[in-house]
Amino acid sequence: GAVVSQHPSWVICKSGTSVKIECRSLDFQATTMFWYRQFPKQSLMLMATSNEGSKATYEQGVEKDKFLINHASLTLSTLTVTSAHPEDSSFYICSATEVNIQYFGAGPRPSV
Amino acid sequence: QKEVEQNSGPLSVPEGAIASLNCTYSDRGSQSFFWYRQYSGKSPELIMFIYSNGDKEDGRFTAQLNKASQYVSLLIRDSQPSDSATYLCAATTGGFKTIFGAGTRLFVKA
């Protein structure tokens, strides 16, 4: 199957700083990527749909100014958690779609 | 609200037994169905996908789809302790939005 990579795989940051997470499709081009958040023992929560060359589509309740998404190329989307606080500590996972199948990257876990 | 429902479990089966995981979906327009396995602290990995009614087999895994009943299942034959994980069911709607279930936790006892 297709390969999706996330970097970094683990992040520790100070409260108030920003964290940038990269999601790359390694062997295919992805016009659409998805960003999910997952708390321990809970399901995936879709945060936003990242569209190459245009603005991301955010799910209801997700703060656009808090979670900045940029999809600058067909193989790279970035999520920036701005002014991170302890409650932002979570598992952030990206996915990209190839032939209508979502493939997930290994999600980093920001710890504030 | 389009939903995908799964029993959260945990489902516990002895090693070598068949594990049966079930999933229902509410959107009749759903066209594609997926099963992902997620180990603790890891991202989901695709196990199988199914588009047509009936059974689809891949090694020890069999996915079953019944669109009339809006029901998807995953059978794991000869369950191994390494199969212990959370299994996520997902359905893609006609608008190509993928909805995930909350997952079923499976424990395979050695």
Short mmCIF file of all heavy atoms in Angstrom, two decimals, chain A residues 23-84:
data_model
loop_
_atom_site.label_atom_id
_atom_site.label_comp_id
_atom_site.label_asym_id
_atom_site.label_seq_id
_atom_site.Cartn_x
_atom_site.Cartn_y
_atom_site.Cartn_z
N CYS A 23 3.40 16.06 7.29
CA CYS A 23 2.82 14.82 6.76
C CYS A 23 3.18 14.73 5.29
O CYS A 23 2.89 15.64 4.51
CB CYS A 23 1.30 14.86 6.93
SG CYS A 23 0.45 13.38 6.33
N ARG A 24 3.84 13.64 4.93
CA ARG A 24 4.28 13.47 3.55
C ARG A 24 3.77 12.17 2.95
O ARG A 24 3.79 11.12 3.60
CB ARG A 24 5.81 13.45 3.48
CG ARG A 24 6.48 14.75 3.83
CD ARG A 24 7.99 14.66 3.70
NE ARG A 24 8.63 15.88 4.16
CZ ARG A 24 8.86 16.94 3.39
NH1 ARG A 24 8.48 16.91 2.11
NH2 ARG A 24 9.44 18.02 3.87
N SER A 25 3.29 12.25 1.72
CA SER A 25 2.99 11.04 0.96
C SER A 25 4.27 10.69 0.20
O SER A 25 4.76 11.50 -0.58
CB SER A 25 1.82 11.26 0.02
OG SER A 25 2.05 12.36 -0.84
N LEU A 26 4.81 9.51 0.47
CA LEU A 26 6.15 9.20 -0.03
C LEU A 26 6.18 8.66 -1.46
O LEU A 26 7.14 8.87 -2.19
CB LEU A 26 6.84 8.21 0.91
CG LEU A 26 7.09 8.73 2.33
CD1 LEU A 26 7.91 7.72 3.13
CD2 LEU A 26 7.79 10.08 2.32
N ASP A 27 5.16 7.93 -1.85
CA ASP A 27 5.22 7.28 -3.15
C ASP A 27 3.99 7.58 -4.00
O ASP A 27 3.72 6.87 -4.98
CB ASP A 27 5.41 5.77 -3.00
CG ASP A 27 4.39 5.15 -2.06
OD1 ASP A 27 3.54 5.90 -1.54
OD2 ASP A 27 4.44 3.93 -1.86
N PHE A 28 3.27 8.62 -3.65
CA PHE A 28 2.12 9.02 -4.45
C PHE A 28 1.82 10.48 -4.19
O PHE A 28 2.30 11.06 -3.21
CB PHE A 28 0.90 8.15 -4.15
CG PHE A 28 0.33 8.32 -2.76
CD1 PHE A 28 -0.82 9.07 -2.55
CD2 PHE A 28 0.94 7.73 -1.67
CE1 PHE A 28 -1.34 9.22 -1.28
CE2 PHE A 28 0.43 7.87 -0.40
CZ PHE A 28 -0.72 8.63 -0.20
N GLN A 29 1.03 11.07 -5.05
CA GLN A 29 0.65 12.46 -4.86
C GLN A 29 -0.74 12.52 -4.23
O GLN A 29 -1.64 11.77 -4.62
CB GLN A 29 0.66 13.19 -6.21
CG GLN A 29 2.05 13.32 -6.80
CD GLN A 29 2.06 14.08 -8.12
OE1 GLN A 29 1.10 14.05 -8.87
NE2 GLN A 29 3.13 14.79 -8.39
N ALA A 30 -0.89 13.39 -3.28
CA ALA A 30 -2.14 13.48 -2.54
C ALA A 30 -2.68 14.91 -2.60
O ALA A 30 -2.12 15.80 -1.97
CB ALA A 30 -1.94 13.05 -1.09
N THR A 31 -3.75 15.11 -3.36
CA THR A 31 -4.35 16.44 -3.39
C THR A 31 -5.10 16.72 -2.09
O THR A 31 -5.33 17.87 -1.74
CB THR A 31 -5.32 16.58 -4.58
OG1 THR A 31 -6.29 15.53 -4.50
CG2 THR A 31 -4.58 16.48 -5.89
N THR A 32 -5.48 15.66 -1.40
CA THR A 32 -6.21 15.81 -0.15
C THR A 32 -5.55 15.00 0.94
O THR A 32 -5.22 13.83 0.74
CB THR A 32 -7.67 15.35 -0.30
OG1 THR A 32 -8.29 16.09 -1.35
CG2 THR A 32 -8.44 15.56 0.99
N MET A 33 -5.33 15.64 2.07
CA MET A 33 -4.84 14.95 3.25
C MET A 33 -5.77 15.30 4.41
O MET A 33 -6.46 16.32 4.37
CB MET A 33 -3.40 15.35 3.58
CG MET A 33 -2.38 14.87 2.54
SD MET A 33 -0.70 15.29 3.06
CE MET A 33 0.25 14.50 1.75
N PHE A 34 -5.77 14.47 5.42
CA PHE A 34 -6.66 14.66 6.56
C PHE A 34 -5.83 14.71 7.85
O PHE A 34 -4.85 13.98 8.00
CB PHE A 34 -7.67 13.52 6.65
CG PHE A 34 -8.51 13.34 5.41
CD1 PHE A 34 -8.09 12.49 4.40
CD2 PHE A 34 -9.70 14.04 5.26
CE1 PHE A 34 -8.84 12.33 3.25
CE2 PHE A 34 -10.46 13.88 4.11
CZ PHE A 34 -10.04 13.03 3.10
N TRP A 35 -6.29 15.55 8.76
CA TRP A 35 -5.65 15.62 10.07
C TRP A 35 -6.66 15.18 11.13
O TRP A 35 -7.78 15.69 11.19
CB TRP A 35 -5.16 17.03 10.36
CG TRP A 35 -3.94 17.38 9.57
CD1 TRP A 35 -3.87 18.06 8.39
CD2 TRP A 35 -2.59 17.03 9.90
NE1 TRP A 35 -2.57 18.16 7.96
CE2 TRP A 35 -1.76 17.53 8.87
CE3 TRP A 35 -1.99 16.33 10.95
CZ2 TRP A 35 -0.38 17.37 8.87
CZ3 TRP A 35 -0.61 16.17 10.95
CH2 TRP A 35 0.18 16.69 9.92
N TYR A 36 -6.21 14.23 11.96
CA TYR A 36 -7.04 13.70 13.03
C TYR A 36 -6.37 13.96 14.38
O TYR A 36 -5.16 14.10 14.47
CB TYR A 36 -7.24 12.19 12.88
CG TYR A 36 -8.02 11.75 11.67
CD1 TYR A 36 -7.39 11.55 10.44
CD2 TYR A 36 -9.38 11.51 11.76
CE1 TYR A 36 -8.11 11.14 9.33
CE2 TYR A 36 -10.11 11.09 10.65
CZ TYR A 36 -9.46 10.91 9.44
OH TYR A 36 -10.18 10.50 8.35
N ARG A 37 -7.20 13.94 15.40
CA ARG A 37 -6.70 14.01 16.76
C ARG A 37 -7.29 12.81 17.50
O ARG A 37 -8.44 12.45 17.28
CB ARG A 37 -7.17 15.32 17.39
CG ARG A 37 -6.60 15.59 18.77
CD ARG A 37 -7.02 16.98 19.22
NE ARG A 37 -6.41 17.31 20.51
CZ ARG A 37 -6.55 18.46 21.13
NH1 ARG A 37 -7.28 19.42 20.58
NH2 ARG A 37 -5.97 18.67 22.28
N GLN A 38 -6.48 12.22 18.37
CA GLN A 38 -6.96 11.07 19.11
C GLN A 38 -6.47 11.13 20.55
O GLN A 38 -5.26 11.17 20.79
CB GLN A 38 -6.50 9.76 18.44
CG GLN A 38 -7.08 8.52 19.07
CD GLN A 38 -6.64 7.24 18.36
OE1 GLN A 38 -5.50 7.14 17.93
NE2 GLN A 38 -7.54 6.27 18.24
N PHE A 39 -7.40 11.12 21.49
CA PHE A 39 -7.05 11.03 22.90
C PHE A 39 -6.98 9.56 23.29
O PHE A 39 -7.56 8.71 22.60
CB PHE A 39 -8.08 11.79 23.74
CG PHE A 39 -8.03 13.28 23.54
CD1 PHE A 39 -8.98 13.93 22.78
CD2 PHE A 39 -7.01 14.03 24.10
CE1 PHE A 39 -8.93 15.30 22.59
CE2 PHE A 39 -6.94 15.40 23.91
CZ PHE A 39 -7.91 16.03 23.14
N PRO A 40 -6.28 9.25 24.39
CA PRO A 40 -6.12 7.86 24.80
C PRO A 40 -7.43 7.10 24.89
O PRO A 40 -8.41 7.60 25.46
CB PRO A 40 -5.44 7.97 26.17
CG PRO A 40 -4.70 9.26 26.11
CD PRO A 40 -5.56 10.17 25.29
N LYS A 41 -7.47 5.95 24.28
CA LYS A 41 -8.61 5.04 24.31
C LYS A 41 -9.87 5.64 23.68
O LYS A 41 -10.98 5.19 23.98
CB LYS A 41 -8.90 4.57 25.74
CG LYS A 41 -7.75 3.78 26.36
CD LYS A 41 -8.11 3.21 27.71
CE LYS A 41 -6.92 2.40 28.26
NZ LYS A 41 -7.25 1.80 29.57
N GLN A 42 -9.69 6.63 22.85
CA GLN A 42 -10.82 7.20 22.13
C GLN A 42 -10.59 7.09 20.63
O GLN A 42 -9.50 6.76 20.18
CB GLN A 42 -11.01 8.67 22.52
CG GLN A 42 -11.42 8.87 23.97
CD GLN A 42 -11.81 10.30 24.28
OE1 GLN A 42 -12.18 11.05 23.40
NE2 GLN A 42 -11.71 10.66 25.54
N SER A 43 -11.65 7.33 19.88
CA SER A 43 -11.55 7.15 18.44
C SER A 43 -10.91 8.37 17.78
O SER A 43 -10.66 9.39 18.41
CB SER A 43 -12.93 6.91 17.85
OG SER A 43 -12.82 6.57 16.49
N LEU A 44 -10.67 8.22 16.49
CA LEU A 44 -10.12 9.33 15.71
C LEU A 44 -11.16 10.43 15.58
O LEU A 44 -12.33 10.17 15.31
CB LEU A 44 -9.75 8.84 14.31
CG LEU A 44 -8.70 7.74 14.22
CD1 LEU A 44 -8.68 7.17 12.82
CD2 LEU A 44 -7.34 8.31 14.58
N MET A 45 -10.73 11.66 15.75
CA MET A 45 -11.61 12.80 15.53
C MET A 45 -11.04 13.62 14.38
O MET A 45 -9.92 14.12 14.48
CB MET A 45 -11.70 13.67 16.78
CG MET A 45 -12.46 13.04 17.93
SD MET A 45 -12.41 14.08 19.40
CE MET A 45 -12.83 15.67 18.73
N LEU A 46 -11.79 13.72 13.30
CA LEU A 46 -11.32 14.50 12.17
C LEU A 46 -11.27 15.97 12.55
O LEU A 46 -12.26 16.53 13.01
CB LEU A 46 -12.24 14.29 10.96
CG LEU A 46 -11.87 15.06 9.70
CD1 LEU A 46 -10.52 14.60 9.14
CD2 LEU A 46 -12.95 14.90 8.63
N MET A 47 -10.11 16.58 12.35
CA MET A 47 -9.96 18.00 12.65
C MET A 47 -10.20 18.84 11.38
O MET A 47 -10.90 19.84 11.44
CB MET A 47 -8.54 18.28 13.16
CG MET A 47 -8.19 17.57 14.45
SD MET A 47 -6.48 17.85 14.89
CE MET A 47 -6.48 19.61 15.21
N ALA A 48 -9.56 18.42 10.30
CA ALA A 48 -9.64 19.23 9.09
C ALA A 48 -9.22 18.42 7.88
O ALA A 48 -8.52 17.42 8.00
CB ALA A 48 -8.75 20.46 9.22
N THR A 49 -9.69 18.88 6.75
CA THR A 49 -9.30 18.32 5.46
C THR A 49 -8.38 19.32 4.79
O THR A 49 -8.75 20.50 4.62
CB THR A 49 -10.53 18.05 4.59
OG1 THR A 49 -11.40 17.16 5.28
CG2 THR A 49 -10.12 17.44 3.26
N SER A 50 -7.20 18.86 4.44
CA SER A 50 -6.19 19.72 3.84
C SER A 50 -6.21 19.56 2.33
O SER A 50 -6.10 18.45 1.82
CB SER A 50 -4.81 19.32 4.41
OG SER A 50 -3.77 19.99 3.75
N ASN A 51 -6.38 20.66 1.63
CA ASN A 51 -6.47 20.62 0.18
C ASN A 51 -5.28 21.34 -0.44
O ASN A 51 -5.00 22.49 -0.10
CB ASN A 51 -7.77 21.29 -0.28
CG ASN A 51 -8.99 20.67 0.36
OD1 ASN A 51 -9.28 19.50 0.17
ND2 ASN A 51 -9.71 21.46 1.14
N GLU A 52 -4.61 20.66 -1.34
CA GLU A 52 -3.42 21.24 -1.98
C GLU A 52 -3.78 22.51 -2.73
O GLU A 52 -4.71 22.53 -3.54
CB GLU A 52 -2.78 20.21 -2.94
CG GLU A 52 -1.44 20.64 -3.49
CD GLU A 52 -1.56 21.38 -4.82
OE1 GLU A 52 -2.56 21.17 -5.53
OE2 GLU A 52 -0.66 22.16 -5.13
N GLY A 53 -3.08 23.57 -2.41
CA GLY A 53 -3.25 24.84 -3.12
C GLY A 53 -4.44 25.66 -2.68
O GLY A 53 -4.71 26.72 -3.27
N SER A 54 -5.16 25.22 -1.68
CA SER A 54 -6.30 26.01 -1.20
C SER A 54 -6.41 25.89 0.31
O SER A 54 -5.66 25.17 0.95
CB SER A 54 -7.59 25.57 -1.88
OG SER A 54 -7.91 24.25 -1.52
N LYS A 55 -7.39 26.61 0.85
CA LYS A 55 -7.56 26.61 2.31
C LYS A 55 -8.10 25.27 2.80
O LYS A 55 -8.86 24.60 2.11
CB LYS A 55 -8.53 27.73 2.71
CG LYS A 55 -7.99 29.12 2.50
CD LYS A 55 -8.99 30.17 2.99
CE LYS A 55 -8.43 31.57 2.84
NZ LYS A 55 -9.40 32.60 3.31
N ALA A 56 -7.70 24.94 4.01
CA ALA A 56 -8.18 23.70 4.61
C ALA A 56 -9.64 23.87 5.04
O ALA A 56 -10.11 24.98 5.30
CB ALA A 56 -7.33 23.35 5.82
N THR A 57 -10.34 22.77 5.08
CA THR A 57 -11.72 22.74 5.56
C THR A 57 -11.72 22.18 6.97
O THR A 57 -11.36 21.02 7.18
CB THR A 57 -12.58 21.85 4.65
OG1 THR A 57 -12.49 22.34 3.30
CG2 THR A 57 -14.03 21.88 5.10
N TYR A 58 -12.13 22.99 7.92
CA TYR A 58 -12.08 22.59 9.32
C TYR A 58 -13.43 22.02 9.77
O TYR A 58 -14.49 22.48 9.34
CB TYR A 58 -11.73 23.78 10.21
CG TYR A 58 -10.29 24.21 10.06
CD1 TYR A 58 -9.89 25.03 9.01
CD2 TYR A 58 -9.32 23.80 10.98
CE1 TYR A 58 -8.57 25.43 8.88
CE2 TYR A 58 -8.00 24.19 10.86
CZ TYR A 58 -7.63 25.00 9.80
OH TYR A 58 -6.32 25.39 9.66
N GLU A 59 -13.37 21.04 10.65
CA GLU A 59 -14.59 20.49 11.23
C GLU A 59 -15.13 21.46 12.29
O GLU A 59 -14.40 22.30 12.84
CB GLU A 59 -14.32 19.12 11.86
CG GLU A 59 -13.92 18.07 10.84
CD GLU A 59 -14.99 17.81 9.80
OE1 GLU A 59 -16.11 17.42 10.19
OE2 GLU A 59 -14.70 17.99 8.60
N GLN A 60 -16.40 21.31 12.55
CA GLN A 60 -17.05 22.18 13.53
C GLN A 60 -16.37 22.05 14.88
O GLN A 60 -16.10 20.94 15.35
CB GLN A 60 -18.53 21.80 13.64
CG GLN A 60 -19.36 22.79 14.43
CD GLN A 60 -20.84 22.46 14.38
OE1 GLN A 60 -21.23 21.41 13.87
NE2 GLN A 60 -21.66 23.34 14.90
N GLY A 61 -16.09 23.19 15.50
CA GLY A 61 -15.48 23.19 16.83
C GLY A 61 -13.97 23.22 16.82
O GLY A 61 -13.36 23.35 17.88
N VAL A 62 -13.35 23.10 15.66
CA VAL A 62 -11.89 23.15 15.57
C VAL A 62 -11.47 24.58 15.25
O VAL A 62 -11.95 25.17 14.27
CB VAL A 62 -11.37 22.18 14.49
CG1 VAL A 62 -9.85 22.30 14.37
CG2 VAL A 62 -11.79 20.76 14.80
N GLU A 63 -10.59 25.14 16.08
CA GLU A 63 -10.18 26.53 15.90
C GLU A 63 -9.16 26.67 14.77
O GLU A 63 -8.05 26.15 14.85
CB GLU A 63 -9.56 27.04 17.20
CG GLU A 63 -10.49 27.02 18.40
CD GLU A 63 -9.75 27.43 19.66
OE1 GLU A 63 -9.21 28.54 19.68
OE2 GLU A 63 -9.69 26.62 20.60
N LYS A 64 -9.52 27.42 13.76
CA LYS A 64 -8.65 27.59 12.61
C LYS A 64 -7.35 28.31 12.99
O LYS A 64 -6.28 28.01 12.45
CB LYS A 64 -9.35 28.41 11.53
CG LYS A 64 -10.62 27.80 11.01
CD LYS A 64 -11.28 28.71 9.97
CE LYS A 64 -12.59 28.13 9.50
NZ LYS A 64 -13.26 28.97 8.50
N ASP A 65 -7.45 29.26 13.89
CA ASP A 65 -6.27 30.04 14.25
C ASP A 65 -5.36 29.28 15.21
O ASP A 65 -4.20 29.65 15.38
CB ASP A 65 -6.69 31.37 14.89
CG ASP A 65 -7.45 32.26 13.92
OD1 ASP A 65 -7.20 32.14 12.70
OD2 ASP A 65 -8.30 33.04 14.38
N LYS A 66 -5.89 28.26 15.82
CA LYS A 66 -5.13 27.45 16.75
C LYS A 66 -4.37 26.35 16.00
O LYS A 66 -3.22 26.04 16.32
CB LYS A 66 -6.09 26.82 17.76
CG LYS A 66 -5.49 25.81 18.71
CD LYS A 66 -4.70 26.48 19.78
CE LYS A 66 -4.23 25.48 20.81
NZ LYS A 66 -3.39 26.15 21.84
N PHE A 67 -5.04 25.78 15.04
CA PHE A 67 -4.47 24.67 14.28
C PHE A 67 -4.33 25.11 12.82
O PHE A 67 -5.26 25.03 12.03
CB PHE A 67 -5.36 23.43 14.39
CG PHE A 67 -5.54 22.95 15.80
CD1 PHE A 67 -6.70 23.26 16.51
CD2 PHE A 67 -4.56 22.20 16.43
CE1 PHE A 67 -6.86 22.83 17.82
CE2 PHE A 67 -4.72 21.76 17.73
CZ PHE A 67 -5.87 22.07 18.43
N LEU A 68 -3.15 25.57 12.49
CA LEU A 68 -2.89 26.10 11.14
C LEU A 68 -2.47 24.97 10.21
O LEU A 68 -1.56 24.21 10.53
CB LEU A 68 -1.79 27.16 11.21
CG LEU A 68 -2.07 28.36 12.10
CD1 LEU A 68 -0.89 29.31 12.09
CD2 LEU A 68 -3.34 29.08 11.68
N ILE A 69 -3.13 24.89 9.07
CA ILE A 69 -2.82 23.83 8.12
C ILE A 69 -2.40 24.45 6.80
O ILE A 69 -3.04 25.37 6.29
CB ILE A 69 -4.04 22.91 7.91
CG1 ILE A 69 -4.31 22.13 9.19
CG2 ILE A 69 -3.83 21.96 6.73
CD1 ILE A 69 -5.58 21.31 9.16
N ASN A 70 -1.30 23.92 6.27
CA ASN A 70 -0.80 24.37 4.98
C ASN A 70 -0.50 23.16 4.11
O ASN A 70 0.16 22.23 4.55
CB ASN A 70 0.48 25.20 5.19
CG ASN A 70 0.99 25.77 3.88
OD1 ASN A 70 1.55 25.05 3.05
ND2 ASN A 70 0.78 27.04 3.68
N HIS A 71 -1.03 23.17 2.91
CA HIS A 71 -0.82 22.04 1.98
C HIS A 71 -0.15 22.61 0.75
O HIS A 71 -0.80 22.89 -0.25
CB HIS A 71 -2.18 21.41 1.66
CG HIS A 71 -2.09 20.07 1.04
ND1 HIS A 71 -3.08 19.12 1.22
CD2 HIS A 71 -1.17 19.49 0.25
CE1 HIS A 71 -2.77 18.03 0.55
NE2 HIS A 71 -1.62 18.22 -0.04
N ALA A 72 1.15 22.80 0.87
CA ALA A 72 1.90 23.55 -0.13
C ALA A 72 2.21 22.78 -1.40
O ALA A 72 2.45 23.36 -2.45
CB ALA A 72 3.20 24.07 0.49
N SER A 73 2.23 21.45 -1.29
CA SER A 73 2.56 20.66 -2.48
C SER A 73 1.72 19.38 -2.47
O SER A 73 1.00 19.10 -1.52
CB SER A 73 4.04 20.31 -2.50
OG SER A 73 4.31 19.27 -1.56
N LEU A 74 1.84 18.62 -3.53
CA LEU A 74 1.05 17.39 -3.64
C LEU A 74 1.54 16.28 -2.74
O LEU A 74 0.93 15.22 -2.68
CB LEU A 74 1.05 16.91 -5.10
CG LEU A 74 0.21 17.77 -6.06
CD1 LEU A 74 0.45 17.35 -7.49
CD2 LEU A 74 -1.27 17.65 -5.72
N THR A 75 2.66 16.49 -2.05
CA THR A 75 3.18 15.45 -1.18
C THR A 75 3.39 15.92 0.25
O THR A 75 3.88 15.16 1.08
CB THR A 75 4.53 14.91 -1.71
OG1 THR A 75 5.46 16.00 -1.79
CG2 THR A 75 4.35 14.28 -3.09
N LEU A 76 3.02 17.16 0.57
CA LEU A 76 3.30 17.67 1.90
C LEU A 76 2.17 18.53 2.44
O LEU A 76 1.71 19.47 1.79
CB LEU A 76 4.60 18.50 1.88
CG LEU A 76 4.96 19.24 3.17
CD1 LEU A 76 5.22 18.25 4.30
CD2 LEU A 76 6.15 20.15 2.95
N SER A 77 1.73 18.19 3.66
CA SER A 77 0.80 19.03 4.41
C SER A 77 1.40 19.23 5.79
O SER A 77 2.03 18.31 6.33
CB SER A 77 -0.57 18.36 4.52
OG SER A 77 -1.43 19.13 5.35
N THR A 78 1.23 20.41 6.35
CA THR A 78 1.75 20.67 7.69
C THR A 78 0.63 21.15 8.60
O THR A 78 -0.29 21.85 8.17
CB THR A 78 2.87 21.72 7.68
OG1 THR A 78 2.35 22.95 7.16
CG2 THR A 78 4.04 21.27 6.82
N LEU A 79 0.72 20.73 9.85
CA LEU A 79 -0.19 21.18 10.90
C LEU A 79 0.65 21.89 11.94
O LEU A 79 1.62 21.30 12.46
CB LEU A 79 -0.91 19.99 11.52
CG LEU A 79 -1.69 20.27 12.83
CD1 LEU A 79 -2.89 21.17 12.56
CD2 LEU A 79 -2.15 18.96 13.47
N THR A 80 0.31 23.12 12.25
CA THR A 80 1.00 23.86 13.30
C THR A 80 0.04 24.10 14.45
O THR A 80 -1.01 24.73 14.25
CB THR A 80 1.55 25.20 12.78
OG1 THR A 80 2.44 24.94 11.69
CG2 THR A 80 2.30 25.94 13.88
N VAL A 81 0.40 23.59 15.61
CA VAL A 81 -0.38 23.85 16.83
C VAL A 81 0.21 25.10 17.46
O VAL A 81 1.36 25.08 17.93
CB VAL A 81 -0.30 22.66 17.80
CG1 VAL A 81 -1.17 22.92 19.03
CG2 VAL A 81 -0.73 21.37 17.10
N THR A 82 -0.52 26.18 17.43
CA THR A 82 0.01 27.45 17.91
C THR A 82 -0.29 27.64 19.39
O THR A 82 -1.31 27.18 19.90
CB THR A 82 -0.59 28.62 17.12
OG1 THR A 82 -2.00 28.65 17.34
CG2 THR A 82 -0.31 28.47 15.63
N SER A 83 0.63 28.32 20.07
CA SER A 83 0.48 28.62 21.49
C SER A 83 -0.03 27.38 22.24
O SER A 83 -1.10 27.39 22.86
CB SER A 83 -0.48 29.79 21.69
OG SER A 83 -0.51 30.19 23.04
N ALA A 84 0.77 26.34 22.17
CA ALA A 84 0.35 25.06 22.74
C ALA A 84 0.22 25.12 24.26
O ALA A 84 1.00 25.78 24.94
CB ALA A 84 1.33 23.97 22.34
#
